[in-house]
């Protein structure tokens, strides 16, 4: 959804109606997670994807129909081995889509939501997927205000509270309520789509490896900062456009920087005068991933110094060192892939094992930020 907003926001601003299909629930090996979106706009222009190509043709027709009728629809697509030509998912999973028309009348806060997402301001969009509430009705929830309604004051209040909780976690998923927001009832389905600011990646040590890690971090959607105490190395021209470059002592910069449970910290200095005080600070604060570069010998010496500094077993267990997965990487770019692979595996609960050596679902449910729950 974040990716297609630059295309569909101008449609909305120009008063051109379009159909928006959003994945609201999945099961088994579904190809896309909740929040994936596809839009069909003026002159039948298509942007985005909900299944990687399996059901896009059918969704295209659905989007046209909802624009013509003005009514939202909830559709589920799964795998059918009885008819090879049936519209369905070849992967054997199942996706549920909410397909709704978007106009200034049906969704008056859409433009403001698009502006917030583009500016990196947090917002959650709650949309009715089914039940006695108006189908496709939306409520936009910011940390300090709301816009729109789901049709009942009690439902708006309950959803607002949950939306702000999901926004704090960066989570997206389907919830159920009673008609007036009752917590233990499930007549009304509401999809909470959180647009939290991009997570941060903090890279310490302005070396060639840092440039490669910063590049792949930006590709993965992180807001990347590179920090080094040596001004001769900490220069923007050595790093990709859009990467923030800071000349400061790493531990001092980190001590004045907010981190959260989504933050990635990569320590590439492999110099004890930099990385030991930096890791003392990093291992005592929230972060999703803390990795440090260095040889086995460097790692052993670093751990000894950290123990002497007073860090406990629980804190030290958070350190991924030597950094990255065993891919046999040699070049800075290959090492960056190794680091990125470890970050992704840790985020989603992957093992790093080749898929040819595993069995079962390739994309297991219940891991990571996206969730379907009541």
């Amino acid at each position: 959804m974040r990716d297609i907003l630059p295309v569909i926001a101008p449609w909305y601003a120009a008063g051109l109606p379009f159909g928006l299909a959003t994945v609201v629930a999945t099961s088994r090996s579904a190809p896309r997670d909740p929040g994936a979106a596809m839009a069909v706009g003026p002159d039948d222009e298509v942007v985005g994807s909900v299944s990687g190509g399996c059901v896009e043709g059918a969704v295209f027709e659905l989007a046209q129909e909802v624009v013509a009728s003005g009514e939202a629809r909830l559709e589920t697509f799964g795998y059918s081995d009885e008819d090879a030509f049936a519209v369905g998912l070849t992967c054997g999973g199942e996706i549920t889509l909410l397909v709704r028309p978007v106009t200034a009348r049906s969704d008056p806060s859409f433009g403001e939501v698009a502006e917030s997402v583009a500016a990196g301001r947090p917002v959650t969009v709650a949309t009715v997927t089914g039940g006695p509430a108006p189908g496709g009705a939306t409520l936009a929830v910011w940390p300090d205000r709301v816009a729109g309604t789901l049709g009942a004051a009690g439902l708006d209040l309950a959803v607002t509270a949950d939306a702000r909780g999901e926004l704090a976690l960066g989570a997206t998923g389907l919830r159920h309520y009673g008609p007036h927001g009752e917590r233990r009832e499930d007549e009304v389905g509401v999809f909470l789509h959180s647009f939290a600011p991009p997570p941060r990646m903090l890279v310490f040590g302005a070396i060639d490896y840092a440039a490669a890690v910063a590049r792949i971090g930006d590709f993965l959607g992180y807001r990347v900062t590179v920090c080094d105490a040596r001004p001769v190395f900490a220069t923007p021209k050595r790093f990709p456009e859009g990467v923030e470059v800071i000349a400061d002592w790493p531990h001092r910069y980190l001590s004045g920087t907010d981190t959260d449970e989504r933050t990635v910290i990569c320590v590439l200095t492999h110099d004890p005068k930099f990385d030991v005080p930096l890791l003392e600070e990093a291992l005592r604060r929230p972060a999703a991933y803390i990795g440090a570069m260095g040889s086995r010998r460097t790692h052993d010496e670093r751990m000894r110094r950290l123990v002497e500094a007073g860090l406990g077993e629980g804190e030290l267990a958070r350190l991924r060192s030597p950094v990255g997965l065993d891919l046999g990487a040699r070049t800075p770019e290959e090492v960056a892939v190794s680091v990125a692979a470890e970050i992704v595996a840790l985020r989603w609960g992957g093992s790093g094992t080749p898929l040819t050596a595993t069995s079962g679902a390739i994309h297991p449910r219940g891991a990571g930020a996206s969730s379907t729950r009541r």
Side-chain angles (χ1 to χ4, degrees):
M1 183 65 175
R2 193 187 297 271
D3 293 336
I4 70 174
L5 276 174
V7 176
I8 64 179
W11 296 347
Y12 182 86
L16 302 172
F18 58 92
L20 180 62
T22 305
V23 178
V24 298
T26 65
S27 67
R28 302 191 300 278
S29 296
R32 302 295 303 274
D33 285 326
M38 168 182 158
V40 178
D43 300 321
D44 294 335
E45 182 178 355
V46 178
V47 60
S49 172
V50 291
S51 73
C54 297
V55 301
E56 268 69 6
V59 176
F60 174 82
E61 295 180 359
L62 279 171
Q64 291 179 315
E65 291 172 10
V66 300
V67 171
S69 68
E71 300 290 333
R73 289 176 58 177
L74 191 69
E75 296 284 345
T76 297
F77 294 91
Y79 176 75
S80 173
D81 57 4
E82 298 176 358
D83 182 355
F85 295 98
V87 175
L89 302 181
T90 58
C91 62
E94 186 175 273
I95 60 172
T96 299
L97 304 175
L98 177 67
V99 189
R100 65 185 180 94
V102 178
T103 65
R105 182 176 179 179
S106 67
D107 194 347
S109 61
F110 183 89
E112 193 173 2
V113 168
E115 290 176 1
S116 293
V117 174
R121 295 190 295 268
V123 61
T124 294
V125 178
T127 309
V128 174
T129 63
T138 61
L139 176 72
V141 181
W142 289 267
D144 58 349
R145 60 195 172 90
V146 300
T149 180
L150 303 182
L155 182 59
D156 288 348
L157 286 173
V159 170
T160 295
D162 289 343
R164 286 178 175 149
E166 298 291 77
L167 187 58
L169 298 173
T172 285
L174 187 63
R175 291 207 175 211
H176 292 81
Y177 304 86
H180 301 284
E182 297 88 345
R183 299 282 184 178
R184 295 176 181 245
E185 299 183 24
D186 61 3
E187 293 97 324
V188 180
V190 179
F191 182 63
L192 302 181
H193 195 171
S194 296
F195 296 94
R200 298 201 66 181
M201 173 182 280
L202 306 176
V203 181
F204 294 96
I207 59 177
D208 289 346
Y209 291 98
V213 170
R215 190 176 299 112
I216 203 167
D218 179 70
F219 175 76
L220 291 175
Y222 288 92
R223 180 163 67 93
V224 182
T225 298
V226 175
C227 176
D228 196 299
R230 302 161 294 182
V232 67
F233 295 114
T235 59
K237 66 181 180 181
R238 299 185 64 238
F239 295 93
E241 183 179 357
V243 171
E244 180 184 36
V245 181
I246 302 292
D248 197 355
W249 278 82
H251 72 281
R252 183 167 61 193
Y253 173 75
L254 183 58
S255 68
T257 301
D258 290 334
T259 63
D260 60 25
E261 287 75 11
R262 301 186 301 151
T263 303
V264 165
I265 299 174
C266 297
V267 180
L268 310 182
T269 51
H270 53 83
D271 183 332
K273 70 175 177 291
F274 293 130
D275 59 17
V276 171
L278 172 59
L279 288 170
E280 284 185 60
E281 177 68 30
L283 293 169
R284 289 173 170 146
R285 58 168 51 230
Y289 175 92
I290 303 170
M293 177 177 280
S295 65
R296 303 280 184 193
R297 180 176 178 180
T298 298
H299 168 75
D300 292 341
E301 176 63 18
R302 180 191 293 135
M303 294 294 282
R304 183 185 67 78
R305 290 173 180 262
L306 291 172
V307 170
E308 291 176 353
L311 274 76
E313 289 185 9
E315 293 163 325
L316 294 173
R318 300 177 62 205
L319 179 60
R320 316 289 290 194
S321 174
V323 70
L325 297 184
D326 180 13
L327 304 182
R330 293 291 187 271
T331 68
E333 291 74 19
E334 290 173 345
V335 170
V337 171
S338 168
V339 173
E342 185 174 45
I343 291 170
V344 172
L346 189 63
R347 178 184 179 187
W348 296 107
S351 66
T353 304
L355 289 173
T356 54
T358 66
S359 60
I362 294 176
H363 304 292
R365 297 291 97 196
S370 296
S371 61
T372 302
R373 60 187 185 186
R374 294 188 180 183

